[in-house]
Amino acid sequence: MPLVFLSPYKKAYSAEIISLSTLLGFVVIITALLLPLFAAFATEDFWLRIKEYTEQPLVDYTKKFMIYITKFDGDNDIQTTTFHSSNQYLNNEFKKICEDTNINNCELETNADPTTFSTDIDGDEIKDKITINYEIDNSGQNEKLDVKLLFFLKYGLTKKVRLIMTPIVYLDIPILDAKNIESISLSGNLELVQKSPIHSTAITSQIYYKKNPFGENKPYFDLLHYYNEYKSFNYTVKYNYEKIENTNSNGNGNKINIKIEMYIPKLQEVLYYQSLYEALKYAWMQYFYIFLPIYIVLYILFKFIIQNNIF
């Protein structure tokens, strides 16, 4: 007697664990998982480890400084060499060198320390500009001055990375007509220089003045020595400035004021390594959108093979 079915007849097949069907199913699953991964890796921004963001750094002046001035006469011969710093140890060492060597043109500068003030231009409680003023005594009416200044700052990044460092601002300012110069103005930005991205998962600390400049090591009075050592660090700050000289019409430049204006960028570009969480947050979306069509195609193919008893 014939059988009559009122609804579609369905028959379920169960493959053995060790069989060609099981092996094919395993291959299809692995292909569906791995193929989107290789395709996603081929895209430009998948698993992007290095990214860039912008932040306004937190910058302040530490009131640590070193000033070395060489004064020349009209014949370009050194008349006086002076030194002044915020560290009494270095001051005493320089004074001792001058006394021990009996050099008449070597002396410890006794001028007042540089004065400074900060400006919050937009009222967001973050300093936008640091101004440092220093007055040079030129009562000896020297024809030429070679002024070298070294200032230590505090610098911090706090948004996506945690960077704490003490940048050095080094200035070499030749004054060729010192008798007729009343003031010198320097104005520019403090720009972050990176040799490598900053890790976002750790606090990066780079404290320079724990080393030679203010330690009990043998002192160096060549300010360029400190700056060259500082530039070897992974993260530094460069002061890009323009110089303006203001002349004295009387030709009686007994005092020369140096004004240094350092602007802090609102949108400082920072390169950093993403954390695993941040990288996966964007990577999984690319993977999913590639996985979905590949899964559908492989599923249809696998279903066709099984239903038609190819295996």
Side-chain angles (χ1 to χ4, degrees):
M1 179 182 291
L3 296 175
V4 178
F5 296 96
L6 299 178
S7 59
Y9 177 72
K10 295 182 180 179
K11 190 174 183 180
Y13 293 92
S14 178
E16 298 291 335
I17 296 178
I18 302 176
S19 66
L20 278 176
S21 298
T22 303
L23 178 61
L24 178 62
F26 180 75
V27 170
V28 168
I29 292 172
I30 295 300
T31 304
L33 292 174
L34 293 183
L35 194 58
L37 190 62
F38 289 116
F41 262 115
T43 62
E44 184 178 350
D45 294 330
F46 182 81
W47 200 267
L48 193 62
R49 291 286 289 124
I50 299 174
K51 289 194 72 176
E52 182 181 283
Y53 79 99
T54 58
E55 175 183 355
Q56 182 174 7
L58 304 175
V59 184
D60 202 0
Y61 173 45
T62 64
K63 296 185 179 180
K64 297 180 184 292
F65 65 90
M66 300 168 71
I67 300 172
Y68 194 92
I69 302 174
T70 307
K71 302 178 180 180
F72 299 87
D73 58 20
D75 297 325
N76 209 32
D77 294 326
I78 296 177
Q79 189 173 358
T80 312
T81 300
T82 64
F83 177 80
H84 183 39
S85 82
S86 57
N87 184 267
Q88 194 57 43
Y89 168 74
L90 293 180
N91 291 338
N92 292 337
E93 287 297 310
F94 187 82
K95 185 177 180 181
K96 189 185 300 182
I97 290 173
C98 294
E99 292 174 350
D100 292 348
T101 54
N102 294 319
I103 301 176
N104 295 327
N105 59 359
C106 170
E107 63 183 39
L108 184 68
E109 184 65 68
T110 57
N111 282 358
D113 291 352
T115 59
T116 182
F117 62 91
S118 303
T119 307
D120 179 10
I121 298 174
D122 53 9
D124 61 355
E125 298 184 357
I126 298 178
K127 295 173 182 177
D128 300 307
K129 183 177 74 169
I130 296 175
T131 304
I132 300 175
N133 291 289
Y134 185 69
E135 194 172 69
I136 299 173
D137 180 13
N138 192 33
S139 55
Q141 290 292 290
N142 302 97
E143 295 286 342
K144 175 186 172 184
L145 302 179
D146 185 18
V147 182
K148 292 181 173 61
L149 303 99
L150 205 65
F151 297 107
F152 292 82
L153 307 176
K154 287 191 294 186
Y155 190 100
L157 297 172
T158 59
K159 285 190 176 179
K160 287 187 176 292
V161 301
R162 298 290 184 270
L163 174 65
I164 303 169
M165 63 177 179
T166 53
I168 285 179
V169 174
Y170 171 74
L171 300 171
D172 188 350
I173 309 171
I175 306 176
L176 303 180
D177 190 14
K179 286 185 179 181
N180 297 311
I181 298 296
E182 184 177 34
S183 64
I184 294 176
S185 298
L186 306 179
S187 181
N189 290 334
L190 291 170
E191 301 288 348
L192 177 66
V193 179
Q194 297 180 242
K195 292 183 179 178
S196 63
I198 304 169
H199 288 275
S200 61
T201 56
I203 297 177
T204 304
S205 180
Q206 190 171 271
I207 309 300
Y208 177 72
Y209 59 69
K210 285 183 178 179
K211 300 180 74 175
N212 284 332
F214 298 104
E216 295 299 319
N217 300 316
K218 180 180 178 181
Y220 294 94
F221 300 102
D222 179 8
L223 274 58
L224 185 60
H225 160 83
Y226 297 118
Y227 184 63
N228 287 335
E229 186 178 55
Y230 165 72
K231 286 195 301 182
S232 66
F233 287 10
N234 284 335
Y235 315 116
T236 58
V237 171
K238 185 178 181 181
Y239 179 41
N240 297 313
Y241 63 88
E242 293 183 357
K243 174 183 171 184
I244 299 175
E245 293 184 350
N246 301 307
T247 58
N248 184 350
S249 57
N250 298 326
N252 186 25
N254 292 329
K255 299 287 184 180
I256 301 175
N257 183 69
I258 296 180
K259 182 180 181 181
I260 304 163
E261 292 181 318
M262 296 178 286
Y263 289 88
I264 302 157
K266 279 287 185 186
L267 300 174
Q268 174 63 63
E269 296 178 350
V270 182
L271 287 174
Y272 73 103
Y273 289 113
Q274 290 189 105
S275 63
L276 180 62
Y277 167 77
E278 188 176 1
L280 288 175
K281 185 171 66 174
Y282 298 102
W284 79 267
M285 291 185 289
Q286 291 173 304
Y287 177 85
F288 176 77
Y289 286 116
I290 297 174
F291 168 80
L292 193 59
I294 291 177
Y295 171 78
I296 292 173
V297 171
L298 290 177
Y299 176 79
I300 294 173
L301 178 63
F302 183 65
K303 185 177 179 181
F304 174 80
I305 292 172
I306 296 299
Q307 288 180 341
N308 290 276
N309 294 320
I310 296 175
F311 281 101

